[in-house]
Amino acid sequence: MTHILHRQIKAVLPVASGGKGIELFDTTGRAYIDASGGAAVSCLGHGHPDVIAAMHRQADTLAYAHTSFFTSDVAEALADRLVADAPAGISHCYFVSGGSEAVEAALKMAWQYFVEIGQPQRRNIIARKQSYHGNTLGALATGGNEWRRAQFRPLLIETHHIDPCFAYRFQEAGESDEDYAARAAQALEDKILELGPETVMAFVAETVVGATAGAVPPVADYLRRIRQICDRHGVLLMLDEVMCGMGRTGTLHACEQDGVAPDLMTIAKGLGGGYQPIGAVLLSQKIFDAFSNGSGLFQHGHTYICHPMACAAALAVQEVIARDRLLDNVKAMGAHLARRLGERFGNHSHIGDIRGRGLFMGVELVEDRSTKQPFDPKRKLHARIKKAAMANGLLVYPMGGTIDGANGDHVLLAPPFICDVAAIDAIVERLDDAVGEALRS
């Protein structure tokens, strides 16, 4: 009997007992390749000695000091590093304990920014359908995943959603990437004009959509067009890179590949690699200046912001990534993963799309490849794939299709940055077995 309220109350879970490199182990001695990094978290794999040593040193020095009294050297050092490597215009960091907290804090920053500069009428938030920005109420309201929102709708603030930039589902036959990007971006401008530009606070988007749609990247110059639209109407651009950021796509920030700098950016997961719970908001100089020249404070806070142990772990993770040139490996192994997935599933009768960037890849399953018809959600194909994969010693991150049928069951892959060719080949082979078994069942 367990006294934990688990995600699934009747689930019987194996007990994790350890981890090394790309593998996790349970108490029966079974090994699992962690092909999803948990939820795109474990970028350095498990048991990395340099990160563990850094945590030991920090624990010996200082475990905790409340930020109403102190700052700490390690939090300052982490902020210095992140700002030095950030997109243009980013000047400060705000450290929290995870992605949902980061999104919640960023939404408050956006609102307070407009209050500080005398535009309190800007309260409307625009995001995209089938997005995910976290499970706290503000973040959940901003996200566009209807399955997650439905039960809590009475508690959610009003927000507005447009179609995502999702080529597999929304690009028309014969439409060029550039024309589709322009059409997808125009949906934002149309919504801003509908609501009234003077009322819109922020547009919130995942640079590469995460688990709820399966690693969907932007097309052509979509994000640059979005940046221009936001600038034209004085709207803040908030990019959520909690899942796709911190090296996961082959650059430290996914938006680097699109030539776009946001006003606010949320990061987590790969920031600390799972060694400690940590997230952050990266904010631009203009937002910091509005606070500094106005009220002189950000009216928000949590007990564990800037936690020294969490900051020490995150700083060590980032130092290892830079020292060992792991982003080069993400690019190389990402290319190999895309190639192997294409070779194995490119002509599969039930694989509709293979997509993503770097070591952040999604595979979408469909009942009919020619029509892109998803499987009946009642079949719970994603759950069958997860079960079959675990039985075969593979951890993947599957999700079910949307309520409105806009996309089907999909599997997200986000293996650790330290993986090699043999690991990628094993992941694809075991995924192939799991998909086959799930389709037969």
Side-chain angles (χ1 to χ4, degrees):
M1 177 182 175
T2 178
H3 290 97
I4 297 173
L5 177 58
H6 288 289
R7 291 170 180 250
Q8 299 288 334
I9 291 175
K10 296 182 180 179
V12 178
L13 299 172
V15 179
S17 62
K20 185 175 179 58
I22 66 168
E23 290 186 313
L24 281 168
F25 312 105
D26 68 21
T27 50
T28 70
R30 189 175 184 84
Y32 306 83
I33 297 176
D34 190 0
S36 61
V41 174
S42 299
C43 56
L44 293 187
H46 305 278
H48 198 289
D50 293 348
V51 182
I52 293 170
M55 292 168 62
H56 274 298
R57 288 194 300 272
Q58 187 60 45
D60 289 341
T61 304
L62 173 69
Y64 172 72
H66 196 277
T67 53
S68 66
F69 301 102
F70 297 100
T71 186
S72 66
D73 288 339
V74 70
E76 297 288 348
L78 178 60
D80 289 346
R81 182 176 195 100
L82 293 178
V83 169
D85 293 335
I90 297 296
S91 65
H92 288 77
C93 302
Y94 185 86
F95 294 121
V96 291
S97 297
S100 294
E101 280 188 19
V103 171
E104 206 80 11
L107 293 171
K108 286 187 173 182
M109 285 182 193
W111 164 250
Q112 185 173 329
Y113 167 76
F114 284 114
V115 171
E116 299 277 14
I117 67 170
Q119 298 181 34
Q121 75 279 5
R122 288 186 181 263
R123 61 169 300 276
N124 284 318
I125 299 164
I126 302 174
R128 301 187 297 187
K129 297 174 184 175
Q130 197 52 13
S131 59
Y132 179 65
H133 298 294
N135 262 336
T136 52
L137 289 177
L140 188 63
T142 301
N145 183 271
E146 286 303 317
W147 179 80
R148 293 174 184 267
R149 287 163 51 91
Q151 177 167 297
F152 302 101
R153 190 176 301 280
L155 303 179
L156 303 182
I157 60 172
E158 181 185 23
T159 54
H160 308 274
H161 296 87
I162 61 173
D163 282 340
C165 182
F166 190 171
Y168 177 66
R169 287 291 170 183
F170 296 109
Q171 189 170 1
E172 296 175 356
E175 187 176 30
S176 69
D177 286 352
E178 291 73 18
D179 287 345
Y180 172 56
R183 180 166 63 85
Q186 185 60 41
L188 173 60
E189 185 145 40
D190 292 345
K191 180 59 70 173
I192 290 172
L193 294 174
E194 173 192 329
L195 295 170
E198 72 285 352
T199 74
V200 180
M201 179 174 82
F203 176 61
V204 185
E206 298 157 282
T207 307
V208 179
V209 181
T212 55
V216 179
V219 172
D221 62 347
Y222 170 79
L223 276 182
R224 289 195 295 276
R225 289 176 176 273
I226 290 295
R227 176 74 271 181
Q228 292 166 1
I229 291 167
C230 288
D231 289 343
R232 187 155 56 243
H233 297 291
V235 173
L236 296 179
L237 175 59
M238 176 177 156
L239 291 181
D240 181 345
E241 295 205 358
V242 166
M243 183 170 266
C244 68
M246 302 314 294
R248 175 56 58 189
T249 64
T251 51
L252 190 63
H253 303 294
C255 63
E256 292 177 45
Q257 298 172 46
D258 299 279
V260 169
D263 301 298
L264 292 159
M265 177 185 286
T266 55
I267 57 175
K269 296 186 186 292
L271 173 60
Y275 288 90
Q276 286 280 284
I278 187 169
V281 183
L282 307 184
L283 58 145
S284 64
Q285 185 72 53
K286 74 175 184 180
I287 293 176
F288 175 82
D289 287 346
F291 293 178
S292 179
N293 298 331
S295 62
L297 77 158
F298 174 40
Q299 194 173 334
H300 182 66
H302 292 282
T303 300
Y304 296 115
I305 60 175
C306 294
H307 194 281
M309 288 291 292
C311 290
L315 182 58
V317 168
Q318 299 312 307
E319 288 175 341
V320 169
I321 290 172
R323 182 197 69 199
D324 295 347
R325 301 181 63 85
L326 289 180
L327 296 189
D328 291 342
N329 196 56
V330 172
K331 293 173 185 174
M333 291 303 100
H336 184 64
L337 176 59
R339 183 168 56 253
R340 292 290 289 116
L341 289 171
E343 291 168 354
R344 182 59 199 91
F345 296 113
N347 293 314
H348 194 290
S349 58
H350 293 296
I351 301 297
D353 195 29
I354 301 167
R355 53 184 177 251
R357 287 182 181 174
L359 287 176
F360 194 57
M361 296 294 296
V363 175
E364 182 166 341
L365 292 99
V366 291
E367 187 167 26
D368 189 318
R369 182 171 172 167
S370 63
T371 65
K372 305 181 183 180
Q373 174 65 38
F375 282 94
D376 185 342
K378 295 178 182 177
R379 186 171 178 178
K380 297 186 182 298
L381 183 62
H382 62 289
R384 295 172 186 265
I385 291 173
K386 179 180 180 180
K387 181 179 180 180
M390 285 193 72
N392 200 24
L394 182 69
L395 303 177
V396 297
Y397 199 106
M399 289 288 291
T402 60
I403 290 174
D404 59 6
N407 70 300
D409 296 88
H410 50 270
V411 176
L412 184 71
L413 298 174
F417 298 178
I418 59 173
C419 64
D420 58 17
V421 167
I424 295 296
D425 290 344
I427 288 168
V428 174
E429 290 168 6
R430 295 187 191 189
L431 177 62
D432 182 20
D433 291 341
V435 168
E437 182 176 334
L439 288 171
R440 289 190 296 271
S441 62

